[in-house]
């Protein structure tokens, strides 16, 4: 539940024009990303990349839709690394974005549930099925589209928008 902290470390560095005065935010972010990498798993059989949930010393093969801020954060942060590391973080961002997009594609309404479980041989199953119009996946897809120029991310965002229009619009809003 500390997702915003990590995101804002990076954004404080970016908004501070990446100067020496705010470099410590970037350094803290890079240190925290080493920890994040220890939480990355891949499902079977489809190899969806996900971030385990950590509670104390316990790991759970569960990922909240809220964690879909991570692809955008990793994509933004990849541009502060040297060549080898930059590609690695951008690739991880793209893999996680694919999983987040599939959170939406896996339901009849094409709207993501609040969280998903990953069990061996089952890929992902929705945990909590309601959708509360979270922006994290869309923001990540926007960053990936802008940073890579890959229109696939724009198309995925449009698909999600259309699902919101179809299933969430009412006469008054």
């Amino acid at each position: 539940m500390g997702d915003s902290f990590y995101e804002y470390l990076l954004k404080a560095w970016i908004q501070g024009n990446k100067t020496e005065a705010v470099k410590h935010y970037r350094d803290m972010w890079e240190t925290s990303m080493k920890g994040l990498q220890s939480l990355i798993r891949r499902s079977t059989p489809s190899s969806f990349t996900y971030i385990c949930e950590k509670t104390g010393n316990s790991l759970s093969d569960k990922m909240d839709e809220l964690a879909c801020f991570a692809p955008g954060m990793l994509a933004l942060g990849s541009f502060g690394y040297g060549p080898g590391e930059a590609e690695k973080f951008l690739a991880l961002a793209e893999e996680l974005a694919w999983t987040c997009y599939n959170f939406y594609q896996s339901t009849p309404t094409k709207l993501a549930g609040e969280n998903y479980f990953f069990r061996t041989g089952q890929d992902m199953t929705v945990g909590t099925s309601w959708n509360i119009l979270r922006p994290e996946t869309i923001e990540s897809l926007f960053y990936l589209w802008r940073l890579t120029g890959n229109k696939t991310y724009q198309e995925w965002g449009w698909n999600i928008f259309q699902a919101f229009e179809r299933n969430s619009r009412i006469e008054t809003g």
Side-chain angles (χ1 to χ4, degrees):
M1 301 306 285
D3 55 291
S4 293
F5 174 74
Y6 304 107
E7 181 180 11
Y8 296 157
L9 284 175
L10 180 65
K11 288 179 177 177
W13 173 71
I14 292 169
Q15 290 178 337
N17 284 327
K18 305 175 186 175
T19 62
E20 194 60 36
V22 292
K23 186 175 182 320
H24 61 283
Y25 293 118
R26 174 68 192 208
D27 294 341
M28 289 191 305
W29 182 79
E30 286 187 16
T31 299
S32 65
M33 290 306 99
K34 291 175 186 166
L36 175 82
Q37 289 176 324
S38 71
L39 303 175
I40 300 297
R41 302 287 185 275
R42 287 174 178 73
S43 70
T44 56
S46 296
S47 284
F48 287 118
T49 301
Y50 63 98
I51 303 169
C52 285
E53 187 172 280
K54 184 174 183 177
T55 307
N57 292 326
S58 177
L59 292 180
S60 173
D61 290 316
K62 173 184 173 253
M63 182 172 161
D64 291 351
E65 200 282 335
L66 186 61
C68 288
F69 81 94
M73 177 191 67
L74 291 166
L76 280 173
S78 71
F79 288 88
Y81 284 107
E85 287 291 293
E87 286 85 4
K88 184 173 82 172
F89 276 93
L90 185 57
L92 178 56
E94 292 180 311
E95 290 173 24
L96 287 167
W98 172 242
T99 300
C100 292
Y101 177 65
N102 276 280
F103 284 175
Y104 285 84
Q105 295 304 296
S106 68
T107 69
T109 61
K110 306 297 186 220
L111 295 175
E114 253 318 89
N115 52 54
Y116 286 77
F117 290 92
F118 296 85
R119 295 180 179 92
T120 303
Q122 293 183 2
D123 282 327
M124 66 172 81
T125 55
V126 68
T128 306
S129 60
W130 63 70
N131 179 285
I132 58 172
L133 310 176
R134 291 195 183 275
E136 287 77 11
T137 298
I138 296 296
E139 182 182 13
S140 286
L141 295 175
F142 175 76
Y143 288 144
L144 280 162
W145 168 64
R146 291 297 299 264
L147 295 168
T148 67
N150 185 340
K151 289 193 178 284
T152 297
Y153 301 117
Q154 197 176 32
E155 292 167 15
W156 291 355
W158 180 246
N159 292 344
I160 293 169
F161 173 77
Q162 288 179 311
F164 278 122
E165 283 289 306
R166 264 191 319 276
N167 298 290
S168 300
R169 182 164 295 282
I170 59 173
E171 274 185 40
T172 57

